[in-house]
Amino acid sequence: MKTRYTPIFRRRRQGKTNYLKRKSMIISKKTLLCIRTSNKSSTFQFLIPLIRGDLIKSSSHSAQLNKFGWTGSGKNTQALYLTGYLAGKKAKLAGIGDAILYSGRSQFTAKSSLIAGLKGVIDAGVDIPAQDDIFSNENKFKTETMEKIIKSIDSEYGENNGKKN
């Protein structure tokens, strides 16, 4: 007797890939912004989804902030904003002008720390569709230390590549 068992894809079992969402992203042929956070750090990747695998156009990691003088955690909201700003500047140098946010299997909520990273990418000059009401409080991104780091990122990756608010 033949069984009717249908195996589930490995990445779906592991909770890493939502194939319905991924199919719509591949069909759209847009550049994706993928934000991933771990227990200690965060990673921003601009990628182009292809059927055989993703092509990464630009990438930034929160450990790269140490070069600019950041000594704090790599996954708090300020670090996510700065890493997003750095990722946006690198993306502008790579020729990426617009992208859409791809959160994968993780839920995107209005109070998540991903919003800080998204705000950093938008402030760097990359056009990403987002509603203005999700960015609640900008005062936490205007500390003196963060302004120094933003200026050093601008001096290294070019101030004319992004728009300033």
Side-chain angles (χ1 to χ4, degrees):
M1 175 145 183
K2 192 171 188 177
T3 63
R4 293 179 185 238
Y5 174 73
T6 304
I8 299 172
F9 292 138
R10 177 183 53 85
R11 291 188 60 85
R12 173 67 178 111
R13 281 193 319 260
Q14 293 173 345
K16 291 182 178 179
T17 303
N18 181 347
Y19 283 100
L20 186 61
K21 190 187 287 189
R22 179 160 175 80
K23 180 182 175 186
S24 66
M25 295 293 174
I26 289 174
I27 291 171
S28 73
K29 296 184 180 178
K30 297 256 186 180
T31 304
L32 305 180
L33 167 63
C34 184
I35 303 173
R36 300 283 186 240
T37 58
S38 68
N39 288 336
K40 294 184 179 182
S41 62
S42 59
T43 304
F44 287 67
Q45 291 179 333
F46 286 90
L47 51 96
I48 297 173
L50 302 171
I51 293 174
R52 293 185 178 214
D54 297 339
L55 175 67
I56 297 175
K57 299 293 280 181
S58 176
S59 178
S60 293
H61 193 272
S62 59
Q64 295 170 341
L65 294 177
N66 295 338
K67 181 172 99 172
F68 299 105
W70 180 255
T71 57
S73 170
K75 72 170 247 178
N76 61 17
T77 55
Q78 289 86 6
L80 277 164
Y81 177 82
L82 289 173
T83 308
Y85 191 80
L86 177 64
K89 288 294 184 177
K90 285 182 170 184
K92 292 296 281 185
L93 285 178
I96 299 169
D98 61 337
I100 54 176
L101 180 67
Y102 175 63
S103 59
R105 299 268 312 145
S106 61
Q107 291 291 327
F108 185 80
T109 60
K111 298 293 182 181
S112 71
S113 58
L114 296 178
I115 292 182
L118 181 63
K119 178 70 174 158
V121 173
I122 291 172
D123 286 350
V126 179
D127 185 30
I128 297 176
Q131 296 176 350
D132 290 332
D133 59 344
I134 64 169
F135 307 116
S136 59
N137 187 4
E138 291 187 30
N139 293 334
K140 58 182 154 186
F141 305 129
K142 301 299 180 190
T143 64
E144 190 175 312
T145 306
M146 291 182 67
E147 289 293 330
K148 284 185 206 176
I149 293 173
I150 288 172
K151 285 180 184 175
S152 63
I153 291 172
D154 282 339
S155 67
E156 181 158 335
Y157 290 101
E159 196 168 330
N160 296 332
N161 290 330
K163 61 182 178 185
K164 295 295 259 181
N165 287 352

